[in-house]
């Protein structure tokens, strides 16, 4: 009798867990990439778009630990198909950051990269495989 009750409880728990998984909304596959210069300035790019889509959603570029005299910088966002787009980033604490949500989708599969004017570092993410 104890074995039957345990089997029923485990079956019920498994059914509830499976129902929870199938009822969950589709997850967004946000992506991010950073340079790995731990001793100096670091550049990062982050997207909020869904996996398998070339639409990046909101694109955020961050420059961590730029020189203290910089309060803003131009950010170049590049993709081989869409060319280069520019954003103006502003200082927030120890970072210079800019965000952009493109209208439509000018991008194609491949790398989406961010580079700040005044820095040679470039951070990239792959738009499809995230």
């Amino acid at each position: 009798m104890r074995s039957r009750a345990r089997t029923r409880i485990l079956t019920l728990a498994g059914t509830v867990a499976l129902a929870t998984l199938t009822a969950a909304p589709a997850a967004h596959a946000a992506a991010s990439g950073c340079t790995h210069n731990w001793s100096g300035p670091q550049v990062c790019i982050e997207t909020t778009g869904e996996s398998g889509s070339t639409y990046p959603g909101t694109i955020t570029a961050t420059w961590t630990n730029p020189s203290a005299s910089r309060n803003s910088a131009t950010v170049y966002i590049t993709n081989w198909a869409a060319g280069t787009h520019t954003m103006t980033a502003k200082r927030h604490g120890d970072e210079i950051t800019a965000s952009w949500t493109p209208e439509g989708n000018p991008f194609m599969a491949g790398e989406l990269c961010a580079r700040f004017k005044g820095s040679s570092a470039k951070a990239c993410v792959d738009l499809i495989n995230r």
Side-chain angles (χ1 to χ4, degrees):
M1 182 85 158
R2 292 179 107 184
S3 177
R4 274 191 192 165
R6 185 176 305 151
T7 301
R8 283 185 182 169
I9 290 171
L10 290 173
T11 301
L12 179 61
T15 302
V16 170
L18 183 59
T20 303
L21 286 174
T22 57
H28 285 272
S32 63
C34 294
T35 59
H36 297 288
N37 181 2
W38 302 114
S39 62
Q42 182 176 8
V43 173
C44 296
I45 185 170
E46 179 180 6
T47 64
T48 61
E50 294 184 31
S51 181
S53 169
T54 58
Y55 182 66
T58 299
I59 301 166
T60 303
T62 306
W63 185 1
T64 303
N65 297 324
S67 65
S69 63
R70 294 201 80 137
N71 290 319
S72 65
T74 299
V75 184
Y76 302 103
I77 303 295
T78 57
N79 174 258
W80 70 271
T84 300
H85 299 270
T86 59
M87 297 189 290
T88 301
K90 304 281 184 199
R91 182 177 281 278
H92 301 280
D94 290 338
E95 299 177 338
I96 295 179
T97 303
S99 290
W100 172 48
T101 305
E103 296 291 323
N105 187 15
F107 302 102
M108 301 278 291
E111 286 189 328
L112 180 69
C113 299
R115 186 182 64 78
F116 284 80
K117 186 175 184 176
S119 171
S120 61
K122 178 174 78 170
C124 300
V125 294
D126 189 341
L127 285 182
I128 290 287
N129 301 319
R130 13 187 192 147

